[in-house]
Amino acid sequence: MDCLKDPANDRYVKTLKPPPHRPLAKNLMFPDKLKNKPDWKLLKDHLQKEGRVAKEELFKLVADCNKLLKNEGNVLYLQDPLTVVGDIHGQYYDLLKLLEPKVGGNPETTKYLFLGDFVDRGSYSIEVVILLYAIKINYPNTVYFLRGNHECRQLTAFFNFKDECLYKYDQETYEMLMDSFDLFPLACIINSKFIAVHGGISPDLKSLEDLKKLDRYHEPPRSGLFCDILWSDPVDQDQGNLDGQWKGNEVRGCSWFFGNEASNKFLQRNNLISIIRAHEAQLDGYKMHRWNGGQDFPVVITIFSAPNYCDVYNNRGAVIKFENNTLNIQQFQYTPHPYLLPNFMDIFTWSIPFVAEKITEMLYNLIQAGDQGDDDDDVNQEDIEQFKLLTKQNKQLNKQQSTGSTGSTGKSTEKLKNKLKFVATMMKMQKTLREQSESIMKLKGACPDKRLPKGILSAGKTAITDALADFNIAKTADIVNEKMPSQAQIPQQSVSIKKPSNTVQNKKK
């Protein structure tokens, strides 16, 4: 596919290759030599260059993959060798790294199990879905998907996948993809010894038969077994101790925390040795929950495959590689990606409220300047002296001092001093805004209310860098986004969606 031409030879960054200027042609995407299957390698390179796929070809791709998904059971049964992948969250360029032979393995020769959460948070969820569906169609017996909690209408409307669909395609495309997500299997048994799900276990999960009986072809409910296997979490406690077997999961706003007792009972009852799940960001990309002691096999293993999650966590990604009944962890670092403004905004839409916010803050601080006290620690004396030389107030001050009116002079001096302190602070904030604009945008994206922490601009570059550097700080700031949104938070047009007639209809297995 030809790239955008540069007839005026005025492209600002010459070293950055321009994106393809047309969607991938149908005869290239579905070449005759592949018997109507998508050329996933060409697709991979095309999408890496920020190329697009036409709506007609996308619908065909999804329809072909749906035929495979709807014929798979609620519970898959797989044997090693196998690579297990955790959350991806729209991080397409990290997915490309994951698919390399030295990390997860070449899809041509590697069996893959993806544990869900393909979409949301990242800006390239469409590209993730297109590539993985293309690989699935080419290798239907070695590539498998499980459903994550983000493969639903509630979260994709609350987060950014719906916005991405509307930005890159339209509402019909969004609805078509939601219908496709309804077809994903729910669990997998690996080597007859491990159960893999996206979230965790449930008080309603006694045996594998309970999973097989579920009607999965619809939007996940807000409670019950279907909800729990997508949303529950292991308790964050070294011995897995809980007051009882289950505790309400206040972090998620739904489902449960489960501990050592509930996990061991379920595993023993079903002759399994461990629960493999995703669903939680981890600093190292994985976590071994060794609740039975350091020498025993972990009761629960969490795997997370989105490195530098949301561009602020600074975590590693990881995958699990099973081979000859041996489990190994393969970690990998994040891959830089093309920059997009939050929520797919253009520069003008993004900048207006940002500038307005800063102007409002400056006006407010100007009004309150007299109440700031006498803390001179943050005032740059050189800025004050420079400002004195450039203002008429300084001339007036000198005149008052020469008349000997000490009382009024003292008040004027104090008033001017406060003004100078305010202006010096504003100069420092503006300098920080100008020099650290990219870091500020990342920090705003990490904060749940999209607002910078109070005082961060006046504290300067070091404070912004520190706020972005720590995994635990980022995770704490982002924890509000781990909750299931309430009905009031979900746009009403996305709660109940009429399914187009040309998509696969929900049916019971």
Side-chain angles (χ1 to χ4, degrees):
M1 181 61 65
D2 294 336
C3 292
L4 283 167
K5 299 185 183 301
D6 185 17
N9 196 31
D10 60 353
R11 185 170 173 82
Y12 189 75
V13 183
K14 303 290 186 183
T15 56
L16 181 64
K17 292 183 179 180
H21 68 292
R22 291 193 184 94
L24 192 62
K26 183 175 182 179
N27 65 316
L28 296 177
M29 184 169 171
F30 296 98
D32 293 336
K33 64 180 181 179
L34 295 180
K35 299 180 180 179
N36 212 30
K37 291 182 179 181
D39 187 339
W40 71 270
K41 293 181 180 179
L42 181 63
L43 257 177
K44 175 174 72 73
D45 295 338
H46 179 72
L47 296 175
Q48 185 178 20
K49 298 172 184 174
E50 298 184 86
R52 296 288 176 84
V53 171
K55 179 179 175 181
E56 180 182 355
E57 276 67 69
L58 175 59
F59 270 61
K60 172 177 168 48
L61 179 79
V62 174
D64 290 348
C65 191
N66 286 348
K67 294 175 184 178
L68 301 172
L69 293 170
K70 70 180 181 179
N71 289 323
E72 295 175 346
N74 286 1
V75 181
L76 305 171
Y77 289 84
L78 300 178
Q79 298 291 323
D80 65 21
L82 176 69
T83 297
V84 180
V85 181
D87 298 32
I88 298 173
H89 280 301
Q91 297 184 197
Y92 179 75
Y93 293 84
D94 295 311
L95 173 63
L96 298 184
K97 179 72 174 180
L98 186 156
L99 295 175
E100 291 180 359
K102 293 183 178 180
V103 184
N106 188 332
E108 293 178 303
T109 56
T110 304
K111 189 185 300 180
Y112 273 100
L113 173 66
F114 293 85
L115 300 184
D117 275 12
F118 305 93
V119 302
D120 278 335
R121 309 308 295 270
S123 299
Y124 299 94
S125 297
I126 287 282
E127 287 77 5
V128 168
V129 171
I130 290 174
L131 179 59
L132 290 180
Y133 274 38
I135 294 174
K136 170 73 173 174
I137 293 169
N138 278 275
Y139 311 108
N141 297 318
T142 56
V143 176
Y144 297 91
F145 308 146
L146 298 186
R147 192 171 192 170
N149 63 308
H150 277 263
E151 277 72 60
C152 72
R153 295 162 185 83
Q154 298 175 60
L155 291 191
T156 52
F158 182 73
F159 288 98
N160 67 327
F161 181 61
K162 182 179 181 182
D163 291 337
E164 182 179 346
C165 289
L166 298 180
Y167 174 72
K168 296 177 180 177
Y169 293 97
D170 53 26
Q171 176 74 17
E172 185 183 17
T173 302
Y174 171 72
E175 295 176 8
M176 177 269 297
L177 289 170
M178 291 299 103
D179 289 340
S180 180
F181 294 162
D182 286 341
L183 304 177
F184 284 9
L186 303 177
C188 179
I189 303 300
I190 303 171
N191 288 354
S192 301
K193 291 297 181 184
F194 302 88
I195 182 170
V197 292
H198 177 73
I201 56 176
S202 167
D204 299 323
L205 180 58
K206 308 301 180 183
S207 72
L208 300 182
E209 291 301 315
D210 296 321
L211 291 173
K212 295 176 182 179
K213 292 175 184 176
L214 280 176
D215 172 17
R216 79 177 193 255
Y217 302 105
H218 59 82
E219 181 78 353
R222 301 179 70 86
S223 62
L225 176 56
F226 195 170
C227 170
D228 293 340
I229 59 175
L230 304 181
W231 280 95
S232 66
D233 291 304
V235 64
D236 188 13
Q237 206 273 344
D238 290 343
Q239 284 74 44
N241 294 330
L242 271 177
D243 292 333
Q245 295 185 45
W246 307 92
K247 177 186 175 184
N249 195 331
E250 68 278 0
V251 174
R252 304 291 185 180
C254 66
S255 193
W256 306 92
F257 284 115
F258 58 92
N260 193 24
E261 183 180 355
S263 300
N264 280 314
K265 281 187 176 181
F266 170 76
L267 293 172
Q268 291 168 9
R269 189 185 304 123
N270 291 278
N271 195 29
L272 301 169
I273 64 173
S274 185
I275 301 163
I276 296 176
R277 43 94 65 175
H279 196 41
E280 283 187 290
Q282 302 295 337
L283 178 61
D284 295 318
Y286 72 98
K287 183 175 181 178
M288 303 286 188
H289 303 264
R290 298 182 183 273
W291 294 336
N292 290 335
Q295 301 301 318
D296 289 342
F297 199 86
V299 178
V300 180
I301 303 173
T302 297
I303 194 74
F304 194 79
S305 304
N308 197 27
Y309 182 43
C310 297
D311 286 333
V312 295
Y313 272 58
N314 287 314
N315 62 293
R316 292 183 180 181
V319 297
I320 299 175
K321 304 183 81 169
F322 283 94
E323 189 169 4
N324 297 324
N325 285 313
T326 301
L327 181 153
N328 292 300
I329 302 291
Q330 178 67 55
Q331 296 172 299
F332 62 102
Q333 298 285 1
Y334 82 98
T335 300
H337 60 80
Y339 183 76
L340 292 177
L341 286 171
N343 300 322
F344 309 100
M345 288 188 289
D346 59 70
I347 185 64
F348 300 103
T349 305
W350 175 83
S351 62
I352 290 173
F354 184 69
V355 172
E357 177 186 348
K358 296 306 138 191
I359 292 174
T360 303
E361 286 182 8
M362 286 189 286
L363 290 174
Y364 176 79
N365 287 325
L366 180 61
I367 295 171
Q368 299 294 325
D371 299 327
Q372 297 298 317
D374 295 324
D375 185 7
D376 295 331
D377 292 340
D378 293 334
V379 181
N380 189 316
Q381 202 63 34
E382 292 182 3
D383 291 339
I384 294 177
E385 294 301 327
Q386 181 182 11
F387 185 76
K388 283 182 178 180
L389 295 173
L390 297 175
T391 59
K392 294 181 180 180
Q393 286 93 331
N394 187 42
K395 295 181 180 179
Q396 183 65 31
L397 177 61
N398 292 334
K399 183 177 180 180
Q400 290 176 351
Q401 287 175 339
S402 65
T403 62
S405 51
T406 57
S408 60
T409 299
K411 291 181 180 179
S412 299
T413 302
E414 186 65 25
K415 187 175 181 180
L416 179 57
K417 183 179 179 182
N418 284 334
K419 289 182 179 180
L420 295 174
K421 287 169 60 180
F422 169 72
V423 172
T425 302
M426 290 301 101
M427 290 172 64
K428 183 176 181 180
M429 290 173 64
Q430 290 296 334
K431 182 178 180 181
T432 302
L433 276 171
R434 185 176 65 255
E435 295 180 350
Q436 302 298 317
S437 58
E438 185 172 351
S439 296
I440 288 169
M441 275 196 290
K442 288 183 180 180
L443 186 57
K444 282 171 71 76
C447 296
D449 58 357
K450 306 301 180 186
R451 294 180 63 85
L452 295 173
K454 187 176 180 180
I456 199 77
L457 287 178
S458 58
K461 175 182 177 181
T462 302
I464 295 171
T465 304
D466 290 345
L468 283 170
D470 192 278
F471 171 82
N472 291 322
I473 292 175
K475 190 172 182 179
T476 300
D478 194 44
I479 198 167
V480 68
N481 290 320
E482 297 300 323
K483 277 192 175 184
M484 176 185 283
S486 65
Q487 292 289 356
Q489 292 175 296
I490 303 170
Q492 288 301 306
Q493 66 269 27
S494 298
V495 174
S496 178
I497 294 179
K498 293 182 179 179
K499 300 184 178 181
S501 58
N502 62 343
T503 57
V504 177
Q505 298 298 312
N506 288 346
K507 60 178 80 173
K508 270 199 172 184
K509 181 175 177 289

